[in-house]
């Protein structure tokens, strides 16, 4: 992360929290490159890469699918998030409050904070798989939902406590550490990828391609990923941040909307190179006698980032996994704390951060959040992204439809019914479709987002006339 993120996240400490960012504080697009590269080459990548292999993807689906999906994510940041952010220069929370009203934003903050805690919890799980190696700790299996032993519980609680205390010291501490760590983590991913290619005996591009080949059957308990699964999932893996407008809080510091292109550093270093490097580590492990023993009895071999990285680059791999989980969990817990502070304003930032860290640590005890990360990230985007549609549709279409902009603020409303019903109806319809017809949740994120935006315009027109 760059120094920009210090200023960006000081939002929670009251810096331009409820006023537009002044011109003197604006940053050029280069300031955002380090931040996005650091944030997206992190702990989640060690889990997601291997999970693609457990979903039986083919080489074409993975390599070309990720290329396209990540491009769509960058375009969403550039032409939606950054575009609106430089016009209004407001945080997501304040922008939503103006449109939705205070009471409705409280509900959003609660959902946001809890989901952030679960995500941070899965990163504590990732770090624990590395810390547990010297103690010969049994690693959680793909199908595990509950803690698998006392050692696991102790290690997770200790990691969670350290991360929470450091996050509670404020974002300055977190960011300084992340600035030092992110280059180490990126180098570790590159090193892991190169070593894994050697271990797999890859000497040409066709050898590399054949690691995935035509794909395979998914492992027990996993769903089969096709080309479209990869494209759509990688597009909406950060759906809450781009089409969900969470990164308005970040890009309001940008001089121009073209700063949105800086997200490509995160997508192609983290969500492309790092995912593929992590998948290669798992491909090496799958050839081991231990993994073959799991497969021979119809079980999925565990995805434990610590042992995978240790197998490739030794102690450096263990350190990289601990740091990667740490640098992801830390800002995530801090952001969860900010979301909770909006609900509990009387509590200090340190106290709400410890509260968020406690929830995250409890979540980290249950390996299910990390092992089902593909599904969890899809759910996270599906719940939060449609709120972004409210902001996008109001921004681009309020004149054509003749609705009042920032209606809750203009009419002094604490609960804008148009927003609530637009979100509830779109969520309800598409969640039902997903469950009833077994449709992968990421596939219905865009339709839910579009329907929510359209319904918001229609309902606003109706309610504002009354």
């Amino acid at each position: 992360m760059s120094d920009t993120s210090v200023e960006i996240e000081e939002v929670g400490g009251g810096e331009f929290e409820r006023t537009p960012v002044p011109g003197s504080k604006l940053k050029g697009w280069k300031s955002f490159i380090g931040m996005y590269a650091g944030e997206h080459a992190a702990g989640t990548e060690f889990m997601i890469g291997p999970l693609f292999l457990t979903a039986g993807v083919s080489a074409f689906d993975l390599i070309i699918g990720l290329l396209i999906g990540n491009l769509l994510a960058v375009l969403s940041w550039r032409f939606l998030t950054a575009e609106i952010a430089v016009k209004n220069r407001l945080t997501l929370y304040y922008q939503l409050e103006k449109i939705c009203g205070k009471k409705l934003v409280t509900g959003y903050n609660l959902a946001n904070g809890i989901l952030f805690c679960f995500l941070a919890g899965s990163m504590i799980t990732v770090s624990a798989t590395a810390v547990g190696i010297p103690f010969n700790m049994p690693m959680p299996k793909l199908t595990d939902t509950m803690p698998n032993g006392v050692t696991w519980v102790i290690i997770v609680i200790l990691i969670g406590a350290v991360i929470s205390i450091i996050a509670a010291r404020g974002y300055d501490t977190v960011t300084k550490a992340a600035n030092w760590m992110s280059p180490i983590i990126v180098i570790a991913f590159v090193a892991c990828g190169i070593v894994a290619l050697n271990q797999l005996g890859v000497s040409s591009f066709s050898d590399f391609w054949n690691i995935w080949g035509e794909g395979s059957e998914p492992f027990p308990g996993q769903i089969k990923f096709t080309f479209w699964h990869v494209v759509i999932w990688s597009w909406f893996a950060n759906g809450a941040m781009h089409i969900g407008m969470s990164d308005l809080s970040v890009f309001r510091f940008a001089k121009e909307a073209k700063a949105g292109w800086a997200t490509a550093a995160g997508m192609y270093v983290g969500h492309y190179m790092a995912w593929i490097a992590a998948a290669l580590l798992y491909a090496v492990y799958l050839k081991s006698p231990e993994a073959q023993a799991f497969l021979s009895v119809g079980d999925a071999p565990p995805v434990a980032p610590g042992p995978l990285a240790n197998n490739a680059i030794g102690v450096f791999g263990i350190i990289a996994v601990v740091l990667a989980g740490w640098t992801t969990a830390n800002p995530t817990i801090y952001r969860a704390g900010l979301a909770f502070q909006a609900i509990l304003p009387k509590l200090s930032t340190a106290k709400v951060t410890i509260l968020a860290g406690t929830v995250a640590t409890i979540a980290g005890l249950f390996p299910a959040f990390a092992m089902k990360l593909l599904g969890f990230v899809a759910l996270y985007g599906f719940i939060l992204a449609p709120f972004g549609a409210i902001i996008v549709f109001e921004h681009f279409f309020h004149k054509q439809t003749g609705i009042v902009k920032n209606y809750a603020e203009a009419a002094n409303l604490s609960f804008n019914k148009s927003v609530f019903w637009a979100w509830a109806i779109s969520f309800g319809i598409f969640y039902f479709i997903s469950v009833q017809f077994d449709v992968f949740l990421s596939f219905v994120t865009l339709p839910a987002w579009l329907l929510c935006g359209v319904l918001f315009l229609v309902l606003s027109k109706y309610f504002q006339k009354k």
Side-chain angles (χ1 to χ4, degrees), residues 18-31:
R18 303 180 76 80
T19 54
V21 177
S24 61
K25 293 285 184 179
L26 301 184
K27 302 278 176 189
W29 62 276
K30 288 176 188 166
S31 303

Side-chain angles (χ1 to χ4, degrees), residues 39 53 71 75 117 130 145 170 192 224 227 246 267 307 322 352 364 369 395 421 423 458 463:
E39 191 160 340
L53 259 178
L71 175 63
L75 292 172
C117 286
T145 50
C192 284
K224 169 75 175 168
F227 174 75
S246 200
M267 293 305 96
V322 173
V352 287
F369 290 111
H395 180 82
W421 288 113
W423 178 82
V458 171
F463 284 120

Side-chain angles (χ1 to χ4, degrees), residues 90-444:
L90 299 173
T91 66
L92 165 75
Y93 302 116
Y94 192 42
Q95 182 83 62
L96 270 180
E97 191 183 304
K98 285 168 167 283
I99 303 170
C100 309
K102 261 203 162 137
K103 279 186 183 162
L104 196 47
V105 169
T106 300
Y108 174 88
N109 283 334
L110 187 62
N112 206 1
I114 290 169
L115 289 167
F116 268 141
C117 286
F118 289 166
L119 189 61
S122 70
M123 290 308 96
I124 294 171
T125 300
V126 166
S127 289
T129 66
V131 175
I133 292 174
F135 304 101
N136 289 325
M137 180 186 78
M139 293 298 160
K141 298 188 188 67
L142 262 178
T143 48
D144 280 359
T145 50
M146 302 301 284
N148 65 358
V150 178
T151 315
W152 173 259
V153 172
I154 293 168
I155 287 173
V156 167
I157 289 172
L158 288 175
I159 293 171
V162 171
I163 288 174
S164 305
I165 290 162
I166 291 167
R169 287 180 65 86
Y171 210 82
D172 216 352
T173 313
V174 175
T175 320
K176 276 180 187 154
N179 280 339
W180 285 99
M181 291 177 196
S182 52
I184 297 168
I185 296 162
V186 171
I187 291 164
F189 274 116
V190 173
C192 284
I194 292 167
V195 171
L197 289 173
N198 283 333
Q199 290 175 328
L200 292 164
V202 171
S203 57
S204 66
F205 185 71
S206 61
D207 289 346
F208 172 70
W209 193 265
N210 288 334
I211 292 167
W212 296 274
E214 294 301 309
S216 61
E217 283 303 303
F219 287 6
Q222 305 296 304
I223 66 164
K224 169 75 175 168
F225 262 39
T226 64
F227 174 75
W228 289 110
H229 282 81
V230 177
V231 170
I232 301 294
W233 189 88
S234 57
W235 182 8
F236 295 129
N238 288 108
M241 306 299 165
H242 50 74
I243 63 167
M245 295 291 119
S246 200
D247 278 357
L248 286 180
S249 304
V250 174
F251 282 117
R252 68 205 179 97
F253 284 90
K255 282 179 185 164
E256 298 172 277
K258 68 180 182 187
W261 292 118
T263 56
M267 293 305 96
Y268 288 101
V269 173
H271 292 193
Y272 197 73
M273 181 278 288
W275 282 353
I276 290 173
L280 293 172
L281 290 180
Y282 194 58
V284 171
Y285 172 64
L286 289 179
K287 294 192 181 308
S288 71
E290 182 189 321
Q292 290 300 318
F294 278 107
L295 290 167
S296 65
V297 293
D299 286 341
V303 175
L308 293 180
N310 179 40
N311 178 31
I313 54 173
V315 175
F316 182 46
I318 296 176
I319 293 167
V321 171
V322 173
L323 296 186
W326 195 88
T327 56
T328 318
N330 239 319
T332 308
I333 286 171
Y334 182 81
R335 283 172 176 156
L338 290 189
F340 291 149
Q341 194 173 27
I343 305 166
L344 304 162
K346 290 197 173 125
L347 286 183
S348 67
T349 305
K351 281 182 182 162
V352 287
T353 309
I354 293 290
L355 171 68
T358 307
V359 176
T361 305
I362 293 166
L365 290 170
F366 301 93
F369 290 111
M371 301 305 155
K372 295 271 185 272
L373 197 60
L374 294 180
F376 173 70
V377 169
L379 176 67
Y380 174 79
F382 177 74
I383 291 172
L384 296 181
F387 275 98
I390 306 286
I391 294 171
V392 172
F393 276 68
E394 190 201 65
H395 180 82
F396 289 107
F397 304 115
H398 75 278
K399 281 184 183 156
Q400 294 92 317
T401 50
I403 63 168
V404 177
K405 203 174 178 199
N406 297 332
Y407 186 63
E409 183 182 56
N412 202 17
L413 288 179
S414 63
F415 190 95
N416 186 340
K417 288 185 286 190
S418 310
V419 175
F420 175 75
W421 288 113
W423 178 82
I425 292 166
S426 57
F427 176 89
I429 289 171
F430 286 103
Y431 192 72
F432 173 79
I433 289 170
S434 171
V435 173
Q436 190 67 27
F437 302 103
D438 201 23
V439 178
F440 185 52
L441 209 48
S442 287
F443 285 161
V444 292

